[in-house]
CSV table of all heavy atoms in Angstrom, one decimal:
chain,number,residue,atom,x,y,z
G,1,GLU,N,-17.4,10.0,-8.3
G,1,GLU,CA,-18.6,9.3,-8.6
G,1,GLU,C,-18.8,9.0,-10.1
G,1,GLU,O,-19.4,8.0,-10.5
G,1,GLU,CB,-19.8,10.0,-8.1
G,1,GLU,CG,-19.9,10.1,-6.6
G,1,GLU,CD,-21.1,10.9,-6.2
G,1,GLU,OE1,-21.9,11.5,-7.0
G,1,GLU,OE2,-21.4,11.0,-5.0
G,2,ASP,N,-18.1,9.8,-11.0
G,2,ASP,CA,-18.2,9.5,-12.4
G,2,ASP,C,-17.3,8.4,-12.9
G,2,ASP,O,-17.5,7.8,-13.9
G,2,ASP,CB,-17.9,10.8,-13.2
G,2,ASP,CG,-19.0,11.9,-12.9
G,2,ASP,OD1,-20.1,11.6,-12.5
G,2,ASP,OD2,-18.6,13.1,-13.1
G,3,GLU,N,-16.2,8.2,-12.1
G,3,GLU,CA,-15.2,7.2,-12.6
G,3,GLU,C,-15.4,5.8,-11.9
G,3,GLU,O,-14.9,4.9,-12.5
G,3,GLU,CB,-13.8,7.8,-12.3
G,3,GLU,CG,-13.6,9.1,-13.1
G,3,GLU,CD,-12.3,9.7,-12.7
G,3,GLU,OE1,-11.8,9.5,-11.6
G,3,GLU,OE2,-11.8,10.5,-13.6
G,4,PHE,N,-16.0,5.7,-10.8
G,4,PHE,CA,-16.2,4.5,-10.1
G,4,PHE,C,-17.7,4.1,-10.1
G,4,PHE,O,-18.5,4.9,-10.3
G,4,PHE,CB,-15.7,4.6,-8.7
G,4,PHE,CG,-14.2,4.8,-8.5
G,4,PHE,CD1,-13.7,6.1,-8.3
G,4,PHE,CD2,-13.4,3.7,-8.6
G,4,PHE,CE1,-12.4,6.3,-8.2
G,4,PHE,CE2,-12.0,3.9,-8.4
G,4,PHE,CZ,-11.5,5.2,-8.3
G,5,VAL,N,-17.9,2.8,-10.0
G,5,VAL,CA,-19.3,2.2,-10.0
G,5,VAL,C,-19.5,1.6,-8.6
G,5,VAL,O,-18.8,0.7,-8.2
G,5,VAL,CB,-19.5,1.2,-11.1
G,5,VAL,CG1,-20.9,0.6,-11.0
G,5,VAL,CG2,-19.1,1.8,-12.5
G,6,ASP,N,-20.6,2.2,-7.9
G,6,ASP,CA,-20.9,1.7,-6.6
G,6,ASP,C,-21.2,0.2,-6.6
G,6,ASP,O,-22.0,-0.3,-7.4
G,6,ASP,CB,-22.1,2.5,-6.1
G,6,ASP,CG,-22.4,2.2,-4.6
G,6,ASP,OD1,-21.4,1.8,-3.9
G,6,ASP,OD2,-23.5,2.4,-4.2
G,7,GLY,N,-20.5,-0.5,-5.7
G,7,GLY,CA,-20.7,-2.0,-5.6
G,7,GLY,C,-19.9,-2.8,-6.6
G,7,GLY,O,-20.0,-4.0,-6.6
G,8,GLU,N,-19.2,-2.1,-7.5
G,8,GLU,CA,-18.4,-2.8,-8.5
G,8,GLU,C,-16.9,-2.4,-8.4
G,8,GLU,O,-16.0,-3.3,-8.4
G,8,GLU,CB,-18.8,-2.5,-9.9
G,8,GLU,CG,-20.1,-3.1,-10.3
G,8,GLU,CD,-20.5,-2.9,-11.8
G,8,GLU,OE1,-19.6,-2.7,-12.6
G,8,GLU,OE2,-21.7,-2.9,-12.1
G,9,THR,N,-16.6,-1.1,-8.2
G,9,THR,CA,-15.2,-0.7,-8.1
G,9,THR,C,-15.0,0.1,-6.8
G,9,THR,O,-13.9,0.5,-6.5
G,9,THR,CB,-14.8,0.1,-9.3
G,9,THR,OG1,-15.7,1.2,-9.4
G,9,THR,CG2,-14.7,-0.7,-10.5
G,10,ILE,N,-16.1,0.4,-6.1
G,10,ILE,CA,-16.0,1.2,-4.8
G,10,ILE,C,-17.3,1.0,-4.1
G,10,ILE,O,-18.3,0.5,-4.6
G,10,ILE,CB,-15.8,2.7,-5.1
G,10,ILE,CG1,-15.3,3.4,-3.9
G,10,ILE,CG2,-17.0,3.3,-5.7
G,10,ILE,CD1,-14.7,4.8,-4.2
G,11,ALA,N,-17.3,1.3,-2.8
G,11,ALA,CA,-18.6,1.3,-2.0
G,11,ALA,C,-18.8,2.7,-1.5
G,11,ALA,O,-18.1,3.3,-0.7
G,11,ALA,CB,-18.4,0.3,-0.8
G,12,PHE,N,-19.9,3.3,-2.0
G,12,PHE,CA,-20.3,4.7,-1.6
G,12,PHE,C,-21.3,4.6,-0.5
G,12,PHE,O,-21.9,3.6,-0.3
G,12,PHE,CB,-20.9,5.4,-2.8
G,12,PHE,CG,-20.0,5.8,-3.9
G,12,PHE,CD1,-20.2,5.3,-5.2
G,12,PHE,CD2,-19.0,6.7,-3.7
G,12,PHE,CE1,-19.4,5.7,-6.2
G,12,PHE,CE2,-18.2,7.1,-4.7
G,12,PHE,CZ,-18.4,6.6,-6.0
G,13,PHE,N,-21.4,5.7,0.3
G,13,PHE,CA,-22.4,5.9,1.2
G,13,PHE,C,-22.8,7.4,1.3
G,13,PHE,O,-21.9,8.2,0.9
G,13,PHE,CB,-22.1,5.3,2.6
G,13,PHE,CG,-21.1,6.2,3.3
G,13,PHE,CD1,-21.5,7.1,4.3
G,13,PHE,CD2,-19.7,6.0,3.1
G,13,PHE,CE1,-20.5,7.9,5.0
G,13,PHE,CE2,-18.8,6.8,3.8
G,13,PHE,CZ,-19.2,7.7,4.7
G,14,ASP,N,-24.0,7.7,1.6
G,14,ASP,CA,-24.4,9.1,1.7
G,14,ASP,C,-23.9,9.7,3.0
G,14,ASP,O,-23.9,9.1,4.1
G,14,ASP,CB,-26.0,9.2,1.7
G,14,ASP,CG,-26.5,8.7,0.4
G,14,ASP,OD1,-25.9,9.0,-0.7
G,14,ASP,OD2,-27.6,8.1,0.4
G,15,TYR,N,-23.4,11.0,2.8
G,15,TYR,CA,-22.9,11.7,3.9
G,15,TYR,C,-23.9,11.8,5.0
G,15,TYR,O,-25.1,12.1,4.8
G,15,TYR,CB,-22.5,13.1,3.4
G,15,TYR,CG,-21.9,14.0,4.5
G,15,TYR,CD1,-20.6,13.8,4.9
G,15,TYR,CD2,-22.6,15.1,5.0
G,15,TYR,CE1,-20.1,14.6,5.9
G,15,TYR,CE2,-22.1,15.9,6.0
G,15,TYR,CZ,-20.8,15.7,6.4
G,15,TYR,OH,-20.3,16.5,7.4
G,16,ASN,N,-23.5,11.6,6.2
G,16,ASN,CA,-24.3,11.7,7.4
G,16,ASN,C,-25.4,10.5,7.5
G,16,ASN,O,-26.2,10.6,8.4
G,16,ASN,CB,-25.0,13.0,7.6
G,16,ASN,CG,-24.2,14.0,8.4
G,16,ASN,OD1,-23.3,13.6,9.1
G,16,ASN,ND2,-24.5,15.3,8.2
G,17,ASP,N,-25.3,9.6,6.6
G,17,ASP,CA,-26.2,8.4,6.7
G,17,ASP,C,-25.5,7.3,7.4
G,17,ASP,O,-25.0,6.4,6.8
G,17,ASP,CB,-26.7,8.0,5.3
G,17,ASP,CG,-27.6,6.8,5.3
G,17,ASP,OD1,-28.0,6.3,6.4
G,17,ASP,OD2,-27.9,6.2,4.3
G,18,TRP,N,-25.5,7.4,8.8
G,18,TRP,CA,-24.7,6.5,9.6
G,18,TRP,C,-25.3,5.1,9.5
G,18,TRP,O,-24.5,4.1,9.6
G,18,TRP,CB,-24.6,7.0,11.0
G,18,TRP,CG,-24.0,8.4,11.0
G,18,TRP,CD1,-24.6,9.5,11.4
G,18,TRP,CD2,-22.7,8.8,10.5
G,18,TRP,NE1,-23.7,10.6,11.2
G,18,TRP,CE2,-22.5,10.2,10.6
G,18,TRP,CE3,-21.6,8.1,9.9
G,18,TRP,CZ2,-21.4,10.9,10.3
G,18,TRP,CZ3,-20.5,8.8,9.5
G,18,TRP,CH2,-20.4,10.2,9.7
G,19,ASP,N,-26.6,5.0,9.4
G,19,ASP,CA,-27.2,3.6,9.3
G,19,ASP,C,-26.8,3.0,8.0
G,19,ASP,O,-26.5,1.8,7.9
G,19,ASP,CB,-28.7,3.7,9.4
G,19,ASP,CG,-29.2,4.1,10.8
G,19,ASP,OD1,-28.4,3.8,11.8
G,19,ASP,OD2,-30.3,4.7,11.0
G,20,GLY,N,-26.8,3.8,6.9
G,20,GLY,CA,-26.4,3.3,5.6
G,20,GLY,C,-24.9,2.9,5.6
G,20,GLY,O,-24.6,1.8,5.0
G,21,LEU,N,-24.1,3.6,6.3
G,21,LEU,CA,-22.7,3.3,6.4
G,21,LEU,C,-22.5,2.0,7.1
G,21,LEU,O,-21.8,1.1,6.7
G,21,LEU,CB,-21.9,4.4,7.1
G,21,LEU,CG,-20.4,4.1,7.3
G,21,LEU,CD1,-19.7,3.8,6.0
G,21,LEU,CD2,-19.8,5.3,8.1
G,22,LYS,N,-23.2,1.9,8.3
G,22,LYS,CA,-23.1,0.6,9.0
G,22,LYS,C,-23.6,-0.6,8.2
G,22,LYS,O,-23.0,-1.6,8.2
G,22,LYS,CB,-23.9,0.7,10.3
G,22,LYS,CG,-23.8,-0.5,11.2
G,22,LYS,CD,-24.6,-0.5,12.4
G,22,LYS,CE,-24.5,-1.7,13.3
G,22,LYS,NZ,-24.3,-3.0,12.7
G,23,SER,N,-24.7,-0.4,7.5
G,23,SER,CA,-25.2,-1.4,6.6
G,23,SER,C,-24.2,-1.8,5.5
G,23,SER,O,-23.9,-3.0,5.3
G,23,SER,CB,-26.5,-1.0,6.0
G,23,SER,OG,-27.0,-2.0,5.1
G,24,THR,N,-23.5,-0.8,5.0
G,24,THR,CA,-22.5,-1.1,3.9
G,24,THR,C,-21.3,-1.8,4.6
G,24,THR,O,-20.8,-2.8,4.0
G,24,THR,CB,-22.0,0.2,3.3
G,24,THR,OG1,-23.1,0.8,2.6
G,24,THR,CG2,-20.9,0.0,2.3
G,25,ILE,N,-20.8,-1.4,5.7
G,25,ILE,CA,-19.7,-2.1,6.4
G,25,ILE,C,-20.1,-3.5,6.7
G,25,ILE,O,-19.3,-4.4,6.5
G,25,ILE,CB,-19.3,-1.3,7.6
G,25,ILE,CG1,-18.7,0.1,7.2
G,25,ILE,CG2,-18.4,-2.1,8.5
G,25,ILE,CD1,-18.5,1.0,8.4
G,26,ASP,N,-21.3,-3.7,7.3
G,26,ASP,CA,-21.7,-5.0,7.7
G,26,ASP,C,-21.8,-5.9,6.4
G,26,ASP,O,-21.4,-7.1,6.5
G,26,ASP,CB,-23.1,-5.0,8.3
G,26,ASP,CG,-23.0,-4.4,9.7
G,26,ASP,OD1,-21.9,-4.3,10.3
G,26,ASP,OD2,-24.1,-4.0,10.3
G,27,HIS,N,-22.3,-5.4,5.3
G,27,HIS,CA,-22.4,-6.2,4.1
G,27,HIS,C,-21.0,-6.6,3.7
G,27,HIS,O,-20.8,-7.8,3.4
G,27,HIS,CB,-23.0,-5.4,3.0
G,27,HIS,CG,-22.8,-6.0,1.6
G,27,HIS,ND1,-23.5,-7.1,1.2
G,27,HIS,CD2,-22.0,-5.7,0.6
G,27,HIS,CE1,-23.1,-7.5,0.0
G,27,HIS,NE2,-22.2,-6.6,-0.4
G,28,TYR,N,-20.0,-5.7,3.6
G,28,TYR,CA,-18.7,-6.1,3.1
G,28,TYR,C,-17.9,-6.9,4.1
G,28,TYR,O,-17.0,-7.7,3.7
G,28,TYR,CB,-17.9,-4.8,2.7
G,28,TYR,CG,-18.4,-4.3,1.3
G,28,TYR,CD1,-19.3,-3.2,1.3
G,28,TYR,CD2,-18.1,-5.0,0.2
G,28,TYR,CE1,-19.7,-2.8,0.0
G,28,TYR,CE2,-18.5,-4.5,-1.1
G,28,TYR,CZ,-19.4,-3.4,-1.1
G,28,TYR,OH,-19.9,-3.0,-2.3
G,29,LEU,N,-18.2,-6.8,5.4
G,29,LEU,CA,-17.6,-7.7,6.4
G,29,LEU,C,-18.1,-9.1,6.2
G,29,LEU,O,-17.4,-10.1,6.4
G,29,LEU,CB,-17.8,-7.2,7.8
G,29,LEU,CG,-17.0,-6.0,8.2
G,29,LEU,CD1,-17.4,-5.5,9.6
G,29,LEU,CD2,-15.5,-6.3,8.1
G,30,SER,N,-19.4,-9.3,5.9
G,30,SER,CA,-20.0,-10.6,5.8
G,30,SER,C,-19.8,-11.3,4.5
G,30,SER,O,-19.8,-12.5,4.4
G,30,SER,CB,-21.5,-10.6,6.2
G,30,SER,OG,-22.2,-9.8,5.3
G,31,ASP,N,-19.7,-10.5,3.4
G,31,ASP,CA,-19.6,-11.0,2.1
G,31,ASP,C,-18.2,-10.9,1.5
G,31,ASP,O,-17.9,-9.9,0.8
G,31,ASP,CB,-20.6,-10.3,1.1
G,31,ASP,CG,-20.7,-11.0,-0.2
G,31,ASP,OD1,-19.9,-11.8,-0.6
G,31,ASP,OD2,-21.7,-10.7,-0.9
G,32,VAL,N,-17.3,-11.8,2.0
G,32,VAL,CA,-15.9,-11.7,1.6
G,32,VAL,C,-15.6,-11.7,0.1
G,32,VAL,O,-14.8,-10.9,-0.4
G,32,VAL,CB,-15.1,-12.8,2.3
G,32,VAL,CG1,-13.6,-12.8,1.9
G,32,VAL,CG2,-15.2,-12.7,3.8
G,33,ASP,N,-16.4,-12.5,-0.6
G,33,ASP,CA,-16.2,-12.7,-2.0
G,33,ASP,C,-16.5,-11.3,-2.7
G,33,ASP,O,-15.7,-10.9,-3.6
G,33,ASP,CB,-17.0,-13.8,-2.6
G,33,ASP,CG,-16.5,-15.2,-2.2
G,33,ASP,OD1,-15.3,-15.3,-1.8
G,33,ASP,OD2,-17.4,-16.1,-2.2
G,34,HIS,N,-17.6,-10.7,-2.4
G,34,HIS,CA,-18.0,-9.5,-3.0
G,34,HIS,C,-17.0,-8.4,-2.6
G,34,HIS,O,-16.6,-7.6,-3.5
G,34,HIS,CB,-19.4,-9.0,-2.6
G,34,HIS,CG,-19.9,-7.9,-3.3
G,34,HIS,ND1,-20.7,-6.9,-2.7
G,34,HIS,CD2,-19.7,-7.4,-4.6
G,34,HIS,CE1,-21.0,-6.0,-3.6
G,34,HIS,NE2,-20.4,-6.3,-4.8
G,35,ARG,N,-16.6,-8.3,-1.4
G,35,ARG,CA,-15.6,-7.3,-0.9
G,35,ARG,C,-14.3,-7.5,-1.7
G,35,ARG,O,-13.8,-6.5,-2.2
G,35,ARG,CB,-15.3,-7.5,0.6
G,35,ARG,CG,-14.3,-6.5,1.1
G,35,ARG,CD,-14.1,-6.7,2.6
G,35,ARG,NE,-13.3,-8.0,2.9
G,35,ARG,CZ,-13.6,-8.8,3.8
G,35,ARG,NH1,-14.6,-8.6,4.6
G,35,ARG,NH2,-12.8,-9.9,4.0
G,36,GLU,N,-13.8,-8.7,-1.9
G,36,GLU,CA,-12.6,-8.9,-2.6
G,36,GLU,C,-12.7,-8.5,-4.1
G,36,GLU,O,-11.8,-8.0,-4.7
G,36,GLU,CB,-12.1,-10.3,-2.5
G,36,GLU,CG,-11.4,-10.5,-1.1
G,36,GLU,CD,-10.2,-9.6,-0.9
G,36,GLU,OE1,-9.2,-9.7,-1.7
G,36,GLU,OE2,-10.2,-8.8,0.0
G,37,THR,N,-13.9,-8.8,-4.7
G,37,THR,CA,-14.1,-8.5,-6.1
G,37,THR,C,-14.1,-7.0,-6.3
G,37,THR,O,-13.5,-6.5,-7.2
G,37,THR,CB,-15.5,-9.1,-6.5
G,37,THR,OG1,-15.4,-10.5,-6.4
G,37,THR,CG2,-15.8,-8.7,-8.0
G,38,VAL,N,-14.8,-6.3,-5.4
G,38,VAL,CA,-14.8,-4.8,-5.5
G,38,VAL,C,-13.4,-4.2,-5.3
G,38,VAL,O,-13.0,-3.3,-6.0
G,38,VAL,CB,-15.8,-4.2,-4.5
G,38,VAL,CG1,-15.7,-2.7,-4.4
G,38,VAL,CG2,-17.3,-4.6,-4.8
G,39,ARG,N,-12.7,-4.8,-4.3
G,39,ARG,CA,-11.4,-4.3,-4.0
G,39,ARG,C,-10.5,-4.5,-5.2
G,39,ARG,O,-9.8,-3.5,-5.7
G,39,ARG,CB,-10.8,-5.0,-2.8
G,39,ARG,CG,-9.4,-4.5,-2.5
G,39,ARG,CD,-8.7,-5.4,-1.5
G,39,ARG,NE,-8.4,-6.8,-2.0
G,39,ARG,CZ,-7.4,-7.0,-2.8
G,39,ARG,NH1,-6.6,-6.1,-3.2
G,39,ARG,NH2,-7.2,-8.3,-3.2
G,40,LYS,N,-10.5,-5.7,-5.8
G,40,LYS,CA,-9.6,-5.9,-7.0
G,40,LYS,C,-10.0,-5.1,-8.2
G,40,LYS,O,-9.1,-4.5,-8.8
G,40,LYS,CB,-9.7,-7.4,-7.3
G,40,LYS,CG,-9.0,-8.3,-6.3
G,40,LYS,CD,-9.1,-9.8,-6.7
G,40,LYS,CE,-8.5,-10.7,-5.6
G,40,LYS,NZ,-8.7,-12.1,-5.9
G,41,LYS,N,-11.3,-5.0,-8.5
G,41,LYS,CA,-11.7,-4.1,-9.6
G,41,LYS,C,-11.4,-2.7,-9.4
G,41,LYS,O,-10.9,-2.0,-10.3
G,41,LYS,CB,-13.2,-4.3,-9.9
G,41,LYS,CG,-13.5,-5.6,-10.5
G,41,LYS,CD,-15.0,-5.7,-10.9
G,41,LYS,CE,-15.4,-7.0,-11.6
G,41,LYS,NZ,-16.8,-7.0,-12.0
G,42,GLY,N,-11.5,-2.2,-8.2
G,42,GLY,CA,-11.2,-0.8,-7.9
G,42,GLY,C,-9.7,-0.6,-8.0
G,42,GLY,O,-9.2,0.4,-8.6
G,43,GLN,N,-8.9,-1.5,-7.5
G,43,GLN,CA,-7.4,-1.4,-7.6
G,43,GLN,C,-7.0,-1.4,-9.1
G,43,GLN,O,-6.1,-0.7,-9.5
G,43,GLN,CB,-6.8,-2.5,-6.8
G,43,GLN,CG,-5.3,-2.4,-6.8
G,43,GLN,CD,-4.6,-3.5,-5.9
G,43,GLN,OE1,-5.2,-4.5,-5.7
G,43,GLN,NE2,-3.4,-3.2,-5.5
G,44,GLU,N,-7.6,-2.3,-9.8
G,44,GLU,CA,-7.2,-2.4,-11.3
G,44,GLU,C,-7.6,-1.1,-12.0
G,44,GLU,O,-6.8,-0.7,-12.8
G,44,GLU,CB,-8.0,-3.6,-11.9
G,44,GLU,CG,-7.4,-5.0,-11.5
G,44,GLU,CD,-8.4,-6.1,-11.9
G,44,GLU,OE1,-9.4,-5.9,-12.6
G,44,GLU,OE2,-8.0,-7.3,-11.6
G,45,TRP,N,-8.7,-0.5,-11.7
G,45,TRP,CA,-9.1,0.7,-12.3
G,45,TRP,C,-8.1,1.8,-12.0
G,45,TRP,O,-7.7,2.5,-12.9
G,45,TRP,CB,-10.5,1.1,-11.9
G,45,TRP,CG,-11.0,2.3,-12.7
G,45,TRP,CD1,-11.7,2.3,-13.9
G,45,TRP,CD2,-10.7,3.7,-12.4
G,45,TRP,NE1,-11.9,3.6,-14.3
G,45,TRP,CE2,-11.3,4.5,-13.5
G,45,TRP,CE3,-10.0,4.3,-11.4
G,45,TRP,CZ2,-11.2,5.8,-13.5
G,45,TRP,CZ3,-9.9,5.7,-11.5
G,45,TRP,CH2,-10.5,6.5,-12.5
G,46,VAL,N,-7.7,1.9,-10.7
G,46,VAL,CA,-6.8,3.0,-10.3
G,46,VAL,C,-5.4,2.8,-11.0
G,46,VAL,O,-4.9,3.7,-11.6
G,46,VAL,CB,-6.6,3.0,-8.8
G,46,VAL,CG1,-5.4,3.9,-8.4
G,46,VAL,CG2,-7.9,3.5,-8.2
G,47,GLN,N,-5.0,1.5,-11.1
G,47,GLN,CA,-3.7,1.3,-11.7
G,47,GLN,C,-3.7,1.6,-13.2
G,47,GLN,O,-2.7,2.0,-13.8
G,47,GLN,CB,-3.2,-0.2,-11.5
G,47,GLN,CG,-2.8,-0.4,-10.0
G,47,GLN,CD,-2.5,-1.9,-9.7
G,47,GLN,OE1,-3.0,-2.8,-10.4
G,47,GLN,NE2,-1.7,-2.1,-8.7
G,48,ALA,N,-4.9,1.4,-13.8
G,48,ALA,CA,-5.0,1.6,-15.3
G,48,ALA,C,-5.3,3.1,-15.6
G,48,ALA,O,-5.1,3.5,-16.7
G,48,ALA,CB,-6.1,0.7,-15.8
G,49,ASN,N,-5.8,3.8,-14.7
G,49,ASN,CA,-6.4,5.2,-15.0
G,49,ASN,C,-5.9,6.3,-14.1
G,49,ASN,O,-6.2,7.5,-14.5
G,49,ASN,CB,-7.9,5.1,-15.0
G,49,ASN,CG,-8.5,4.2,-15.9
G,49,ASN,OD1,-8.5,4.4,-17.1
G,49,ASN,ND2,-8.9,3.0,-15.5
G,50,ALA,N,-5.4,6.0,-13.0
G,50,ALA,CA,-5.2,7.2,-12.0
G,50,ALA,C,-3.8,7.1,-11.3
G,50,ALA,O,-3.8,7.5,-10.1
G,50,ALA,CB,-6.3,7.1,-11.0
G,51,THR,N,-2.8,6.7,-12.0
G,51,THR,CA,-1.5,6.8,-11.4
G,51,THR,C,-1.0,8.3,-11.4
G,51,THR,O,-1.6,9.1,-12.2
G,51,THR,CB,-0.4,6.0,-12.1
G,51,THR,OG1,-0.3,6.5,-13.4
G,51,THR,CG2,-0.8,4.5,-12.1
G,52,TYR,N,0.0,8.6,-10.6
G,52,TYR,CA,0.5,10.0,-10.7
G,52,TYR,C,1.0,10.4,-12.1
G,52,TYR,O,0.8,11.5,-12.5
G,52,TYR,CB,1.7,10.1,-9.7
G,52,TYR,CG,1.3,10.2,-8.2
G,52,TYR,CD1,1.8,9.3,-7.3
G,52,TYR,CD2,0.4,11.2,-7.8
G,52,TYR,CE1,1.4,9.4,-6.0
G,52,TYR,CE2,0.0,11.3,-6.5
G,52,TYR,CZ,0.5,10.4,-5.6
G,52,TYR,OH,0.2,10.4,-4.3
G,53,THR,N,1.6,9.4,-12.8
G,53,THR,CA,2.1,9.7,-14.1
G,53,THR,C,0.9,10.0,-15.1
G,53,THR,O,1.0,11.0,-15.8
G,53,THR,CB,2.9,8.5,-14.7
G,53,THR,OG1,4.0,8.2,-13.8
G,53,THR,CG2,3.4,8.7,-16.1
G,54,GLN,N,-0.1,9.2,-15.0
G,54,GLN,CA,-1.3,9.5,-15.8
G,54,GLN,C,-2.0,10.8,-15.5
G,54,GLN,O,-2.3,11.6,-16.4
G,54,GLN,CB,-2.3,8.3,-15.7
G,54,GLN,CG,-1.8,7.1,-16.3
G,54,GLN,CD,-2.5,5.8,-15.7
G,54,GLN,OE1,-2.9,5.8,-14.6
G,54,GLN,NE2,-2.6,4.8,-16.6
G,55,ARG,N,-2.1,11.1,-14.2
G,55,ARG,CA,-2.7,12.4,-13.8
G,55,ARG,C,-1.9,13.6,-14.2
G,55,ARG,O,-2.4,14.6,-14.7
G,55,ARG,CB,-3.0,12.4,-12.3
G,55,ARG,CG,-4.0,11.3,-11.8
G,55,ARG,CD,-5.4,11.7,-12.3
G,55,ARG,NE,-6.3,10.8,-11.6
G,55,ARG,CZ,-7.6,10.8,-11.8
G,55,ARG,NH1,-8.1,11.6,-12.7
G,55,ARG,NH2,-8.4,10.0,-11.2
G,56,LEU,N,-0.6,13.5,-14.0
G,56,LEU,CA,0.3,14.6,-14.4
G,56,LEU,C,0.3,14.8,-15.9
G,56,LEU,O,0.2,15.9,-16.4
G,56,LEU,CB,1.7,14.3,-13.9
G,56,LEU,CG,2.7,15.4,-14.1
G,56,LEU,CD1,2.3,16.7,-13.5
G,56,LEU,CD2,4.1,15.0,-13.6
G,57,SER,N,0.3,13.7,-16.6
G,57,SER,CA,0.2,13.8,-18.1
G,57,SER,C,-1.1,14.5,-18.5
G,57,SER,O,-1.1,15.3,-19.4
G,57,SER,CB,0.3,12.4,-18.7
G,57,SER,OG,0.2,12.5,-20.1
G,58,GLU,N,-2.2,14.1,-17.9
G,58,GLU,CA,-3.5,14.8,-18.2
G,58,GLU,C,-3.4,16.2,-17.9
G,58,GLU,O,-3.9,17.1,-18.6
G,58,GLU,CB,-4.6,14.1,-17.4
G,58,GLU,CG,-5.9,14.6,-17.7
G,58,GLU,CD,-7.0,13.9,-16.9
G,58,GLU,OE1,-6.8,12.8,-16.2
G,58,GLU,OE2,-8.2,14.3,-17.0
G,59,ALA,N,-2.9,16.6,-16.7
G,59,ALA,CA,-2.8,18.0,-16.3
G,59,ALA,C,-1.9,18.8,-17.3
G,59,ALA,O,-2.3,19.9,-17.7
G,59,ALA,CB,-2.2,18.1,-14.9
G,60,ILE,N,-0.8,18.2,-17.7
G,60,ILE,CA,0.1,18.9,-18.7
G,60,ILE,C,-0.7,19.1,-20.0
G,60,ILE,O,-0.6,20.2,-20.7
G,60,ILE,CB,1.4,18.2,-18.9
G,60,ILE,CG1,2.2,18.3,-17.6
G,60,ILE,CG2,2.2,18.7,-20.1
G,60,ILE,CD1,3.5,17.5,-17.6
G,61,SER,N,-1.4,18.1,-20.4
G,61,SER,CA,-2.2,18.1,-21.7
G,61,SER,C,-3.2,19.2,-21.6
G,61,SER,O,-3.4,20.0,-22.6
G,61,SER,CB,-2.8,16.8,-21.9
G,61,SER,OG,-3.7,16.8,-23.1
G,62,ILE,N,-3.9,19.3,-20.5
G,62,ILE,CA,-4.9,20.4,-20.3
G,62,ILE,C,-4.3,21.8,-20.4
G,62,ILE,O,-4.9,22.7,-20.9
G,62,ILE,CB,-5.7,20.2,-19.0
G,62,ILE,CG1,-6.6,18.9,-19.1
G,62,ILE,CG2,-6.5,21.4,-18.6
G,62,ILE,CD1,-7.2,18.4,-17.8
G,63,MET,N,-3.1,21.9,-19.8
G,63,MET,CA,-2.4,23.2,-19.8
G,63,MET,C,-1.8,23.5,-21.1
G,63,MET,O,-1.2,24.6,-21.3
G,63,MET,CB,-1.4,23.2,-18.7
G,63,MET,CG,-2.0,23.2,-17.3
G,63,MET,SD,-0.7,23.3,-16.0
G,63,MET,CE,0.2,21.8,-16.2
G,64,GLY,N,-1.8,22.6,-22.0
G,64,GLY,CA,-1.3,22.9,-23.4
G,64,GLY,C,0.2,22.5,-23.5
G,64,GLY,O,0.9,23.0,-24.4
G,65,GLY,N,0.7,21.7,-22.7
G,65,GLY,CA,2.1,21.3,-22.8
G,65,GLY,C,3.0,22.3,-22.2
G,65,GLY,O,2.6,23.3,-21.7
G,66,LEU,N,4.3,21.9,-22.1
G,66,LEU,CA,5.3,22.8,-21.5
G,66,LEU,C,6.0,23.5,-22.6
G,66,LEU,O,6.3,22.9,-23.7
G,66,LEU,CB,6.3,22.0,-20.6
G,66,LEU,CG,5.7,21.3,-19.4
G,66,LEU,CD1,6.7,20.4,-18.7
G,66,LEU,CD2,5.1,22.3,-18.5
G,67,SER,N,6.4,24.7,-22.4
G,67,SER,CA,7.2,25.4,-23.4
G,67,SER,C,8.7,25.3,-23.1
G,67,SER,O,9.1,25.3,-22.1
G,67,SER,CB,6.8,26.9,-23.5
G,67,SER,OG,5.6,27.2,-23.1
């Protein structure tokens, strides 16, 4: 939740809020342009910030490097 923005890079819904989930699904099924914008922005964020290489590098940095 800290790294993604609801409606911009991802679509969140509240746990056990099935009506809210249905509403979110219906929205993204009917609004193709918004759905594609969110998908593209989310994919771009992941490619820029969350690849395995980036995550592993961050983990090694946190652990103080390898000896």
Side-chain angles (χ1 to χ4, degrees):
E1 292 179 353
D2 295 336
E3 297 174 334
F4 294 97
V5 178
D6 190 25
E8 289 184 28
T9 55
I10 199 167
F12 288 118
F13 71 97
D14 292 326
Y15 182 74
N16 271 342
D17 179 5
W18 305 117
D19 291 333
L21 174 59
K22 183 182 182 326
S23 176
T24 298
I25 291 170
D26 289 344
H27 166 73
Y28 284 101
L29 286 175
S30 67
D31 191 343
V32 176
D33 292 336
H34 188 215
R35 180 179 72 223
E36 282 301 300
T37 298
V38 171
R39 181 192 66 78
K40 286 177 184 176
K41 285 185 178 182
Q43 184 178 23
E44 289 168 1
W45 187 92
V46 168
Q47 289 174 337
N49 299 286
T51 64
Y52 285 122
T53 303
Q54 291 159 329
R55 295 291 190 180
L56 185 56
S57 177
E58 182 180 353
I60 290 171
S61 175
I62 290 169
M63 292 184 294
L66 297 176
S67 331

